Amino acid sequence: ITNIQDQIKTSEVLANTSGLYQREIEERNIVTSDVFTLSTNNRYVKQMEQIELRAKELDVTTTFETGTIYKLQNQLLPVMTYKGVILNYDTDTSSITQIPEGTYLCITYTEKTKERAFDTLIEGINELQIVNPLIIDATLLNNVFSQEETAHELQVYVGDIV
């Protein structure tokens, strides 16, 4: 419970941060689903159902962390949806995707500022000369009453913690 409270506090601070920033992020274990081409609401629900079924098969506990991973190659392409998981001591990690620990270039956004945030992040990626980055779009604070106000953080791996 303390870990969840800490993550909520961090999310609240990050949700009110503007512009590009770098921060250290711990390694994360995730279960993924390919991006479906159904309508937006249906797609997300179906992907989360698939992820939950996969987590159950793997006998791992899911966390509240969810998001989308994009590939940037000439254009921005969503490649998978993910949900964080807590591994058991005997989990077969070949079925789990790991997001590495390290320094990340980040920017937060809501639906209203999404396009500008992606543009700013891509400028930062180009400035740092990061080649073929994966962009993690993590949900920070989910506003169940207004999805447009849900806070997200875009994250691009810059390197190992020094």
Side-chain angles (χ1 to χ4, degrees):
I1 293 178
T2 302
N3 187 26
I4 293 171
Q5 289 173 329
D6 290 344
Q7 289 177 334
I8 291 170
K9 287 178 186 174
T10 300
S11 293
E12 288 173 340
V13 170
L14 293 174
N16 293 309
T17 304
S18 61
L20 287 174
Y21 54 93
Q22 289 189 18
R23 73 181 187 103
E24 308 301 323
I25 301 178
E26 295 178 3
E27 178 180 272
R28 292 166 281 172
N29 297 298
I30 60 172
V31 175
T32 62
S33 165
D34 293 335
V35 172
F36 298 161
T37 55
L38 303 170
S39 70
T40 304
N41 289 337
N42 242 352
R43 175 185 58 84
Y44 186 75
V45 169
K46 292 286 187 197
Q47 288 173 169
M48 285 298 124
E49 285 175 357
Q50 187 179 61
I51 288 171
E52 290 293 341
L53 284 173
R54 185 74 182 124
K56 189 173 183 177
E57 288 171 8
L58 296 170
D59 192 29
V60 293
T61 304
T62 58
T63 67
F64 75 92
E65 182 181 359
T66 62
T68 303
I69 298 178
Y70 294 85
K71 188 186 308 185
L72 180 62
Q73 291 179 329
N74 298 328
Q75 64 178 350
L76 202 56
L77 302 168
V79 290
M80 64 187 77
T81 300
Y82 76 90
K83 187 158 189 162
V85 295
I86 300 168
L87 302 182
N88 298 322
Y89 67 92
D90 61 346
T91 300
D92 174 12
T93 55
S94 65
S95 303
I96 302 292
T97 302
Q98 292 185 318
I99 301 174
E101 172 182 36
T103 304
Y104 285 77
L105 178 66
C106 304
I107 190 167
T108 57
Y109 76 90
T110 61
E111 199 57 41
K112 293 177 187 175
T113 61
K114 182 177 183 174
E115 190 174 320
R116 185 175 58 217
F118 269 101
D119 290 344
T120 302
L121 184 67
I122 291 169
E123 288 173 17
I125 290 168
N126 291 335
E127 190 175 305
L128 293 173
Q129 299 177 356
I130 301 170
V131 181
N132 296 327
L134 289 179
I135 298 172
I136 300 157
D137 182 352
T139 303
L140 291 176
L141 294 173
N142 196 354
N143 186 327
V144 293
F145 301 109
S146 174
Q147 288 299 312
E148 289 182 358
E149 294 178 28
T150 295
H152 297 262
E153 181 182 51
L154 298 174
Q155 309 163 346
V156 175
Y157 181 72
V158 174
D160 293 333
I161 297 174
V162 186

